[in-house]
Amino acid sequence: FVFAGVLLDIQRHYGVTDSGIGLLQTVFICSFMVAAPIFGYLGDRFNRKVILSCGIFFWSVITLSSSFIGEEYYWLFVLSRGLVGIGESSYSSISPTIIGDLFTNNSRTTMLSIFYLAIPLGSGLGYILGSSAKVAAGDWHWALRVSPVLGITTGTLILVFVPEPKRGSADQVRGRIKSRTSWVCDMKALAKNRSYVFSSLASAAVSFATGAFGMLIPLYLTRAQMVQNPAEACTKEICSSTESLIFGAITCVTGLLGVVIGAATTRLFRQKTERADPLVCAVSMLGSAIFICLIFVVAKKSIVGAYVCIFIGETLLFVNWAITADILMFVVIPTRRATAVAFQSFTSHLLGDAGSPYLIGLISDALKENYKTSALWQFLSLGYALMLCPFIIVLGGMFFLATALFFLDDREKAEKQLSQLTQPPSSVKV
C-alpha cells in the first residue's frame, strides 16, 4: 500500500481512469492468488523460511525497478504489480504455518494476532511512508524506492534469526508424524472440511471490502473535500496527500485495536463457549457493515464524521483477521496447513479483492459517464459504487455463523486425524 499513498499522482502521471487505477490492484491480487497454491505445496514440503525470504527479496527488487517506468509504459507498470504479487504470496502463504508450529492454544492466538497486526499496521504505514517520501523528495517515484530497503532488511533478518520448526511440533507433545498425505488427498480433505470452506468464504468477503477500501477510500475522501470546500482538482506536480496520511494513520490504529480486541474477546468468550472464534468474527463483521454504510451517508456533509465511521468500521472489520487464521489451525492438521492457508488465500482473493477495486472503479466510471465534469457526480458515483462493500460484509458475517455450526465437529476430526498420523516415541526405531 505504499503506492496507494501516491495514488492520485500515479493516476495523473499515467492518465488513467478509476477503473485503470483499480486494475493495478486487480493484477496484483490475481498474481498473488495464482502463486499461493504453488507456495502452499512447497511450504508443506521444503524449507519455509528460505522460500519466504526469497519472495521478499524478489518483490523488493521489482518494486524498486517499477519506480523507473516512464509514463508511456503504463502496461509495464501494471505488469510490475503482478510480479510483486508473486513475491508477496510466498510470505503470506507460509508465515502463519511457522507460527502454528511454534505455539498452540491461547499462546498461538496471541502470536497470530501479533503477526496479523502487521497487515493493517503495515498498510497504514505504507500510506504514510508513500506520502511522506513523495513530499520529502518532491517526486512520487521515491515512494517506491524507500520501501525495498526495508524489505531486503527484513528478508535478511528472517534468514538469520527465524527458526525452522518441525511441522506439527507444537501440536505433538510426544511422537512424530509417521506419514505425509498426498496433495490430492489434502485437497479432498479440505473440500470436505465445512469450517474451512465457510471461513474461507467469509475471508473472501473481508478481502473484497478491504481491497476496495484500501485503494479507493482516500480518493473518495479527496473528492468529498472538493465538494465541501470546493477545492480545485490536482494539477500540480505533487498532489495533496492529506487524506492518504490520515487514512493511513487510522488504519494503523484500528489495526492495532481490532487485533487486540479480537484476541482478548476470543480468549474471554472461550470460557463461555467453544464456538467463540467464529461467533466473535460474525458479530464483528455485522457491526462493521453498519458503520461502513454510515460513511457514505455523512461524507458529503462532514469529513470528520466520515473518519469516525471509518475508524469504528475498520476496527470491527480487523477483529477477525487473526481469529480466522486460528480457526484454520484448529480444524486442519499440521502437514496440510500451508496448503490450507494458500488455498484460503486463493479463494479469498479470487472472490474478494482480485476484482473489487476494478469492479467498483467500473461502476463508478459508468455512473459518472454523462457527468464527467461534475465534481459532485465524481464524488457520488464512487460513493454509490463503494456501497456494495457493506452488503458483502454482511454476507461474510453469515458465513462465519455457518462456520460456528460445524466448528466443534471439524476440530474433533482434525484431532483424531493427527493422532492417527502420529507415531508414539516407544515405536520409533533408533
Short mmCIF file of all heavy atoms in Angstrom, two decimals, residues 126-164:
data_model
loop_
_atom_site.label_atom_id
_atom_site.label_comp_id
_atom_site.label_asym_id
_atom_site.label_seq_id
_atom_site.Cartn_x
_atom_site.Cartn_y
_atom_site.Cartn_z
N GLY A 126 2.25 2.12 5.12
CA GLY A 126 2.53 2.25 3.69
C GLY A 126 1.99 3.56 3.14
O GLY A 126 2.68 4.26 2.37
N TYR A 127 0.76 3.91 3.52
CA TYR A 127 0.21 5.20 3.11
C TYR A 127 1.09 6.35 3.59
O TYR A 127 1.41 7.28 2.84
CB TYR A 127 -1.19 5.38 3.70
CG TYR A 127 -2.27 4.55 3.06
CD1 TYR A 127 -2.78 3.43 3.71
CD2 TYR A 127 -2.80 4.88 1.81
CE1 TYR A 127 -3.78 2.66 3.14
CE2 TYR A 127 -3.80 4.11 1.24
CZ TYR A 127 -4.29 3.01 1.90
OH TYR A 127 -5.27 2.25 1.34
N ILE A 128 1.47 6.26 4.88
CA ILE A 128 2.25 7.34 5.47
C ILE A 128 3.63 7.43 4.83
O ILE A 128 4.11 8.52 4.49
CB ILE A 128 2.37 7.12 7.00
CG1 ILE A 128 0.98 7.20 7.64
CG2 ILE A 128 3.31 8.14 7.62
CD1 ILE A 128 0.95 6.79 9.09
N LEU A 129 4.28 6.28 4.66
CA LEU A 129 5.61 6.26 4.06
C LEU A 129 5.58 6.78 2.63
O LEU A 129 6.42 7.58 2.23
CB LEU A 129 6.18 4.84 4.09
CG LEU A 129 7.55 4.63 3.41
CD1 LEU A 129 8.61 5.46 4.13
CD2 LEU A 129 7.93 3.16 3.41
N GLY A 130 4.59 6.30 1.85
CA GLY A 130 4.49 6.74 0.47
C GLY A 130 4.27 8.24 0.36
O GLY A 130 4.95 8.93 -0.42
N SER A 131 3.34 8.76 1.14
CA SER A 131 3.04 10.20 1.10
C SER A 131 4.22 11.03 1.60
O SER A 131 4.57 12.05 1.01
CB SER A 131 1.81 10.49 1.96
OG SER A 131 0.69 9.78 1.49
N SER A 132 4.85 10.58 2.68
CA SER A 132 5.96 11.34 3.26
C SER A 132 7.18 11.34 2.35
O SER A 132 7.84 12.37 2.18
CB SER A 132 6.33 10.75 4.63
OG SER A 132 5.23 10.78 5.51
N ALA A 133 7.49 10.17 1.76
CA ALA A 133 8.63 10.09 0.85
C ALA A 133 8.42 10.98 -0.37
O ALA A 133 9.36 11.63 -0.87
CB ALA A 133 8.86 8.64 0.41
N LYS A 134 7.18 11.02 -0.86
CA LYS A 134 6.86 11.87 -2.01
C LYS A 134 7.10 13.34 -1.70
O LYS A 134 7.73 14.06 -2.48
CB LYS A 134 5.40 11.65 -2.40
CG LYS A 134 4.89 12.59 -3.48
CD LYS A 134 3.40 12.44 -3.69
CE LYS A 134 2.62 12.98 -2.52
NZ LYS A 134 1.16 12.96 -2.77
N VAL A 135 6.60 13.77 -0.55
CA VAL A 135 6.74 15.18 -0.17
C VAL A 135 8.20 15.53 0.10
O VAL A 135 8.70 16.58 -0.33
CB VAL A 135 5.88 15.47 1.08
CG1 VAL A 135 6.16 16.88 1.59
CG2 VAL A 135 4.40 15.31 0.75
N ALA A 136 8.92 14.63 0.80
CA ALA A 136 10.32 14.92 1.14
C ALA A 136 11.20 15.01 -0.10
O ALA A 136 12.09 15.86 -0.19
CB ALA A 136 10.85 13.82 2.08
N ALA A 137 10.96 14.13 -1.08
CA ALA A 137 11.80 14.11 -2.28
C ALA A 137 11.27 15.01 -3.39
O ALA A 137 11.99 15.29 -4.35
CB ALA A 137 11.92 12.67 -2.80
N GLY A 138 10.00 15.44 -3.26
CA GLY A 138 9.40 16.24 -4.32
C GLY A 138 9.10 15.43 -5.56
O GLY A 138 8.93 15.99 -6.65
N ASP A 139 9.02 14.11 -5.42
CA ASP A 139 8.80 13.22 -6.56
C ASP A 139 8.14 11.94 -6.04
O ASP A 139 8.68 11.26 -5.17
CB ASP A 139 10.14 12.89 -7.22
CG ASP A 139 9.99 12.02 -8.47
OD1 ASP A 139 8.85 11.58 -8.75
OD2 ASP A 139 11.00 11.77 -9.14
N TRP A 140 6.95 11.60 -6.58
CA TRP A 140 6.22 10.45 -6.07
C TRP A 140 6.95 9.13 -6.30
O TRP A 140 6.70 8.14 -5.61
CB TRP A 140 4.81 10.38 -6.69
CG TRP A 140 4.77 10.07 -8.16
CD1 TRP A 140 4.74 10.95 -9.19
CD2 TRP A 140 4.75 8.76 -8.75
NE1 TRP A 140 4.72 10.29 -10.39
CE2 TRP A 140 4.71 8.94 -10.16
CE3 TRP A 140 4.77 7.47 -8.24
CZ2 TRP A 140 4.69 7.87 -11.05
CZ3 TRP A 140 4.74 6.40 -9.13
CH2 TRP A 140 4.70 6.59 -10.52
N HIS A 141 7.86 9.08 -7.27
CA HIS A 141 8.59 7.84 -7.56
C HIS A 141 9.38 7.34 -6.35
O HIS A 141 9.62 6.14 -6.21
CB HIS A 141 9.54 8.04 -8.74
CG HIS A 141 8.84 8.28 -10.05
ND1 HIS A 141 8.46 9.54 -10.47
CD2 HIS A 141 8.44 7.41 -11.01
CE1 HIS A 141 7.87 9.45 -11.65
NE2 HIS A 141 7.83 8.18 -12.00
N TRP A 142 9.79 8.29 -5.48
CA TRP A 142 10.60 7.89 -4.33
C TRP A 142 9.80 7.08 -3.31
O TRP A 142 10.39 6.42 -2.45
CB TRP A 142 11.23 9.11 -3.68
CG TRP A 142 12.45 9.55 -4.44
CD1 TRP A 142 12.51 10.49 -5.43
CD2 TRP A 142 13.76 9.02 -4.31
NE1 TRP A 142 13.78 10.59 -5.92
CE2 TRP A 142 14.58 9.70 -5.26
CE3 TRP A 142 14.34 8.05 -3.50
CZ2 TRP A 142 15.94 9.43 -5.39
CZ3 TRP A 142 15.69 7.77 -3.63
CH2 TRP A 142 16.47 8.46 -4.57
N ALA A 143 8.48 7.13 -3.40
CA ALA A 143 7.67 6.29 -2.53
C ALA A 143 7.94 4.81 -2.81
O ALA A 143 7.83 3.97 -1.90
CB ALA A 143 6.19 6.59 -2.74
N LEU A 144 8.30 4.49 -4.04
CA LEU A 144 8.58 3.11 -4.43
C LEU A 144 10.07 2.77 -4.33
O LEU A 144 10.46 1.65 -4.66
CB LEU A 144 8.11 2.86 -5.87
CG LEU A 144 6.64 3.18 -6.15
CD1 LEU A 144 6.30 2.89 -7.61
CD2 LEU A 144 5.72 2.37 -5.23
N ARG A 145 10.87 3.70 -3.86
CA ARG A 145 12.31 3.46 -3.76
C ARG A 145 12.78 3.32 -2.32
O ARG A 145 13.92 2.88 -2.08
CB ARG A 145 13.07 4.60 -4.44
CG ARG A 145 12.81 4.68 -5.93
CD ARG A 145 13.37 5.93 -6.57
NE ARG A 145 12.97 6.02 -7.98
CZ ARG A 145 13.13 7.08 -8.75
NH1 ARG A 145 13.68 8.20 -8.23
NH2 ARG A 145 12.73 7.08 -10.00
N VAL A 146 11.93 3.69 -1.38
CA VAL A 146 12.29 3.60 0.04
C VAL A 146 11.92 2.23 0.60
O VAL A 146 12.72 1.60 1.31
CB VAL A 146 11.60 4.72 0.84
CG1 VAL A 146 11.90 4.56 2.33
CG2 VAL A 146 12.06 6.08 0.35
N SER A 147 10.71 1.77 0.31
CA SER A 147 10.22 0.52 0.91
C SER A 147 11.07 -0.71 0.55
O SER A 147 11.19 -1.62 1.39
CB SER A 147 8.77 0.27 0.51
OG SER A 147 8.63 0.17 -0.89
N PRO A 148 11.67 -0.82 -0.64
CA PRO A 148 12.50 -2.01 -0.92
C PRO A 148 13.67 -2.19 0.05
O PRO A 148 14.08 -3.33 0.32
CB PRO A 148 13.00 -1.76 -2.35
CG PRO A 148 11.93 -0.93 -2.97
CD PRO A 148 11.47 -0.03 -1.87
N VAL A 149 14.20 -1.09 0.56
CA VAL A 149 15.29 -1.19 1.53
C VAL A 149 14.82 -1.92 2.78
O VAL A 149 15.51 -2.78 3.34
CB VAL A 149 15.82 0.22 1.88
CG1 VAL A 149 16.90 0.12 2.96
CG2 VAL A 149 16.36 0.92 0.65
N LEU A 150 13.60 -1.58 3.22
CA LEU A 150 13.03 -2.23 4.40
C LEU A 150 12.76 -3.71 4.12
O LEU A 150 12.97 -4.56 4.98
CB LEU A 150 11.74 -1.53 4.80
CG LEU A 150 11.85 -0.02 5.11
CD1 LEU A 150 10.48 0.57 5.41
CD2 LEU A 150 12.80 0.20 6.28
N GLY A 151 12.29 -4.01 2.90
CA GLY A 151 12.00 -5.40 2.55
C GLY A 151 13.25 -6.26 2.54
O GLY A 151 13.25 -7.39 3.07
N ILE A 152 14.30 -5.78 1.94
CA ILE A 152 15.55 -6.55 1.88
C ILE A 152 16.13 -6.77 3.27
O ILE A 152 16.63 -7.85 3.60
CB ILE A 152 16.57 -5.83 0.97
CG1 ILE A 152 16.07 -5.87 -0.49
CG2 ILE A 152 17.95 -6.47 1.08
CD1 ILE A 152 16.90 -5.05 -1.45
N THR A 153 16.02 -5.75 4.12
CA THR A 153 16.49 -5.89 5.51
C THR A 153 15.69 -6.96 6.25
O THR A 153 16.26 -7.81 6.95
CB THR A 153 16.35 -4.55 6.25
OG1 THR A 153 17.10 -3.55 5.56
CG2 THR A 153 16.85 -4.68 7.68
N THR A 154 14.37 -6.95 6.06
CA THR A 154 13.51 -7.94 6.72
C THR A 154 13.82 -9.35 6.25
O THR A 154 13.92 -10.29 7.05
CB THR A 154 12.03 -7.62 6.44
OG1 THR A 154 11.72 -6.31 6.93
CG2 THR A 154 11.13 -8.65 7.10
N GLY A 155 13.99 -9.53 4.93
CA GLY A 155 14.32 -10.85 4.39
C GLY A 155 15.61 -11.39 4.96
O GLY A 155 15.72 -12.59 5.26
N THR A 156 16.59 -10.53 5.12
CA THR A 156 17.88 -10.95 5.68
C THR A 156 17.73 -11.37 7.15
O THR A 156 18.30 -12.39 7.57
CB THR A 156 18.89 -9.80 5.57
OG1 THR A 156 19.03 -9.41 4.20
CG2 THR A 156 20.25 -10.23 6.10
N LEU A 157 16.97 -10.60 7.92
CA LEU A 157 16.75 -10.93 9.33
C LEU A 157 16.04 -12.26 9.50
O LEU A 157 16.34 -13.04 10.41
CB LEU A 157 15.95 -9.82 10.01
CG LEU A 157 16.66 -8.47 10.18
CD1 LEU A 157 15.70 -7.42 10.73
CD2 LEU A 157 17.87 -8.60 11.09
N ILE A 158 15.08 -12.55 8.60
CA ILE A 158 14.37 -13.84 8.66
C ILE A 158 15.32 -14.99 8.41
O ILE A 158 15.30 -16.01 9.12
CB ILE A 158 13.22 -13.85 7.63
CG1 ILE A 158 12.10 -12.92 8.09
CG2 ILE A 158 12.68 -15.26 7.43
CD1 ILE A 158 11.00 -12.74 7.08
N LEU A 159 16.16 -14.85 7.42
CA LEU A 159 17.13 -15.92 7.10
C LEU A 159 18.07 -16.20 8.26
O LEU A 159 18.43 -17.35 8.53
CB LEU A 159 17.95 -15.53 5.87
CG LEU A 159 17.35 -15.84 4.49
CD1 LEU A 159 18.27 -15.32 3.39
CD2 LEU A 159 17.11 -17.34 4.31
N VAL A 160 18.45 -15.14 8.97
CA VAL A 160 19.47 -15.29 10.03
C VAL A 160 18.85 -15.73 11.36
O VAL A 160 19.40 -16.61 12.05
CB VAL A 160 20.23 -13.96 10.21
CG1 VAL A 160 21.20 -14.06 11.40
CG2 VAL A 160 20.98 -13.60 8.94
N PHE A 161 17.69 -15.18 11.73
CA PHE A 161 17.20 -15.35 13.09
C PHE A 161 15.96 -16.24 13.25
O PHE A 161 15.73 -16.77 14.34
CB PHE A 161 16.90 -13.98 13.72
CG PHE A 161 18.13 -13.13 13.91
CD1 PHE A 161 18.35 -12.02 13.09
CD2 PHE A 161 19.07 -13.43 14.88
CE1 PHE A 161 19.48 -11.23 13.25
CE2 PHE A 161 20.20 -12.65 15.06
CZ PHE A 161 20.41 -11.55 14.24
N VAL A 162 15.14 -16.38 12.23
CA VAL A 162 13.89 -17.14 12.39
C VAL A 162 14.17 -18.64 12.34
O VAL A 162 14.82 -19.13 11.41
CB VAL A 162 12.88 -16.76 11.28
CG1 VAL A 162 11.65 -17.67 11.33
CG2 VAL A 162 12.46 -15.30 11.44
N PRO A 163 13.68 -19.41 13.31
CA PRO A 163 13.89 -20.87 13.31
C PRO A 163 12.97 -21.55 12.29
O PRO A 163 11.97 -20.98 11.86
CB PRO A 163 13.52 -21.28 14.73
CG PRO A 163 12.53 -20.25 15.17
CD PRO A 163 12.96 -18.96 14.52
N GLU A 164 13.33 -22.77 11.93
CA GLU A 164 12.50 -23.59 11.04
C GLU A 164 12.01 -24.79 11.85
O GLU A 164 12.67 -25.84 11.91
CB GLU A 164 13.32 -24.05 9.83
CG GLU A 164 12.62 -25.06 8.93
CD GLU A 164 11.39 -24.51 8.20
OE1 GLU A 164 11.23 -23.28 8.17
OE2 GLU A 164 10.60 -25.32 7.70
#
